[in-house]
């Protein structure tokens, strides 16, 4: 039994094993079957991609899905606490996929559950299965993750996908990692300081964009701002538009965990660099590979 709380829970070899399993699933070489084991979805915070792709992945490996994607209609509305809710799902399923607005919620769930917990996003902390998708997309496009120039662009302070991706990259050998954001949305110091590679921080994407292989964009995480006025001051402070894409290498790619608000102009969707919808599609095979690995030990 293992929990998946952070990108640090996976070694380089385990990331590669997941990529290979996903390739085998996509190629039809592997048809995973867990014979009706039950996966719980416990989504205390909204989701489109993560919830639906975990559900699809579960069904496609022969698992059943129970749980909720909104606390509306659950006993949380009657005051049942988080730990007791997790304990109930532990009774009814073999694995629990948890999303919550509080940092550390998935770790806390792992301390009360004997069944594996998968962190599907906890506050501004981490979203490790998103990083698996992100790096699998890079692997599919470039054939490897090592030796590339990454630029993480946008809200680097509150985006949990950024923390998970920065930590996942410690398992690889990125050539350069640029962090591009307004000053107010710089990556958190405690995250940057623990990395085993240097980062180069910039305000202006044009300073580095021609050098970038993978541009990873995030929306401003409005819901994580302690003060809405701070959000109002900074909203729409950056955008990836056709002018920026013109300065990108022809074989570079743009990723985004989605949802997008206004930070990528819709016209960019038609450029060869736009890979964010392809990236989202890889959520199913990578989560099939992950659930299969967890449920079959
Ligand atoms: N990428 C991601 O976590 O999207 P959702 O919030 O829609 O699940």
């Amino acid at each position: 039994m293992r929990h998946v709380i952070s990108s640090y829970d996976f070694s380089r070899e385990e990331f590669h094993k997941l990529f290979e399993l996903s390739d085998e699933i996509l190629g039809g070489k592997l048809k995973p079957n867990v014979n009706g084991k039950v996966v719980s979805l416990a989504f205390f915070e909204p989701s489109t991609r993560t919830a639906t792709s975990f559900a699809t992945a579960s069904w496609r490996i022969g698992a059943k899905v129970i749980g909720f994607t909104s606390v509306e209609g659950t006993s949380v509305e009657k005051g049942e606490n988080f730990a007791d809710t997790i304990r109930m799902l532990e009774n009814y399923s073999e694995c629990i996929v948890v999303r919550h607005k509080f940092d550390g919620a998935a770790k806390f769930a792992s301390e009360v559950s004997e069944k594996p917990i998968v962190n599907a996003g906890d506050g501004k902390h981490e979203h490790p299965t998103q990083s698996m998708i992100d790096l699998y997309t890079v692997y599919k496009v470039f054939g490897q993750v090592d030796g590339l120039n990454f630029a993480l662009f946008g809200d680097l302070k509150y985006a949990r996908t950024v923390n998970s991706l920065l930590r996942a990259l410690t398992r690889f050998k990125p050539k350069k990692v640029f962090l591009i954001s307004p000053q107010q949305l710089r990556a958190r110091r405690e995250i940057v300081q623990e990395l085993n590679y240097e980062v180069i921080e910039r305000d202006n994407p044009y300073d580095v964009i021609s050098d970038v292989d993978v541009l990873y964009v995030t929306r401003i995480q409005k819901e994580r701002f302690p003060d809405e006025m701070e959000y109002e001051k900074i909203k729409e402070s950056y955008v990836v538009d056709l002018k920026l894409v013109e300065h990108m290498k022809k074989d570079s790619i743009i990723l985004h965990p989605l949802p997008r608000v206004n930070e990528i102009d819709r016209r960019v969707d038609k450029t060869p660099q736009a890979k964010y919808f392809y990236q989202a599609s890889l959520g199913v095979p990578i989560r099939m590979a992950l659930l299969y690995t967890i449920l079959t030990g």
Side-chain angles (χ1 to χ4, degrees):
M1 192 269 291
R2 71 179 295 178
H3 304 293
V4 180
I5 308 301
S6 164
S7 289
Y8 283 151
D9 294 334
F10 274 65
S11 66
R12 176 187 175 90
E13 290 68 33
E14 287 169 324
F15 273 107
H16 275 291
K17 183 73 194 160
L18 272 186
F19 300 164
E20 283 156 20
L21 274 179
S22 301
D23 276 350
E24 286 180 22
I25 289 167
L26 282 174
K29 211 168 128 192
L30 175 68
K31 297 197 187 307
N33 190 346
V34 299
N35 298 313
K37 285 187 175 167
V38 179
V39 173
S40 285
L41 300 184
F43 278 64
F44 296 79
E45 199 186 47
S47 168
T48 297
R49 275 147 296 276
T50 312
T52 54
S53 63
F54 262 114
T56 303
S58 302
W59 292 325
R60 288 193 181 159
I61 62 167
K64 312 274 187 217
V65 179
I66 62 165
F68 52 89
T69 52
S70 157
V71 293
E72 201 177 322
T74 73
S75 288
V76 173
E77 291 201 315
K78 298 180 223 163
E80 184 161 47
N81 67 38
F82 178 67
D84 288 356
T85 306
I86 295 298
R87 286 187 187 105
M88 293 310 106
L89 297 175
E90 181 197 7
N91 289 331
Y92 309 144
S93 59
E94 277 72 49
C95 173
I96 309 170
V97 181
V98 180
R99 171 169 286 195
H100 203 285
K101 68 178 177 181
F102 290 143
D103 297 25
K107 176 91 176 81
F108 178 61
S110 74
E111 286 162 5
V112 298
S113 170
E114 291 294 323
K115 302 281 175 58
I117 298 293
V118 178
N119 182 3
D122 60 331
K124 59 185 180 338
H125 174 232
E126 278 221 40
H127 191 351
T129 69
Q130 181 63 50
S131 304
M132 293 167 188
I133 300 166
D134 303 338
L135 293 183
Y136 184 47
T137 312
V138 172
Y139 172 83
K140 294 292 277 180
V141 174
F142 292 98
Q144 59 177 0
V145 174
D146 294 336
L148 299 169
N149 291 339
F150 287 78
L152 281 61
F153 181 28
D155 181 350
L156 310 183
K157 182 175 180 181
Y158 294 116
R160 56 197 175 200
T161 60
V162 166
N163 296 339
S164 284
L165 183 55
L166 287 172
R167 287 172 167 167
L169 282 172
T170 65
R171 293 351 192 188
F172 297 90
K173 297 185 184 84
K175 195 165 156 203
K176 290 183 197 162
V177 178
F178 301 107
L179 300 181
I180 313 167
S181 69
Q183 289 286 340
Q184 302 93 314
L185 299 177
R186 285 269 189 264
R188 298 210 301 279
R189 291 306 93 181
E190 66 271 24
I191 306 287
V192 170
Q193 282 162 5
E194 72 190 21
L195 303 173
N196 62 359
Y197 52 84
E198 296 293 322
V199 297
I200 304 160
E201 298 191 285
R202 291 285 181 271
D203 298 338
N204 186 347
Y206 286 93
D207 290 349
V208 299
I209 197 69
S210 61
D211 210 12
V212 168
D213 298 303
V214 180
L215 179 66
Y216 189 85
V217 188
T218 62
R219 78 182 160 93
I220 298 190
Q221 312 282 305
K222 180 181 179 185
E223 67 276 26
R224 311 254 178 257
F225 277 65
D227 178 354
E228 201 176 328
M229 286 306 293
E230 290 304 311
Y231 168 74
E232 288 299 324
K233 278 190 226 160
I234 199 139
K235 71 176 187 187
E236 296 175 14
S237 55
Y238 59 89
V239 68
V240 175
D241 54 16
L242 290 176
K243 185 169 156 248
L244 187 70
V245 176
E246 270 173 31
H247 288 76
M248 294 182 73
K249 294 187 206 176
K250 292 286 168 258
D251 60 353
S252 62
I253 62 171
I254 304 169
L255 303 183
H256 190 309
L258 305 176
R260 149 180 69 178
V261 187
N262 295 316
E263 63 282 354
I264 300 182
D265 186 319
R266 269 53 177 175
R267 285 169 294 187
V268 171
D269 298 357
K270 291 195 171 22
T271 65
Q273 285 91 346
K275 291 284 185 283
Y276 28 92
F277 294 120
Y278 172 60
Q279 174 191 6
S281 77
L282 296 178
V284 172
I286 208 88
R287 288 177 169 134
M288 287 172 73
L290 178 68
L291 288 173
Y292 180 62
T293 304
I294 291 171
L295 292 171
T296 58

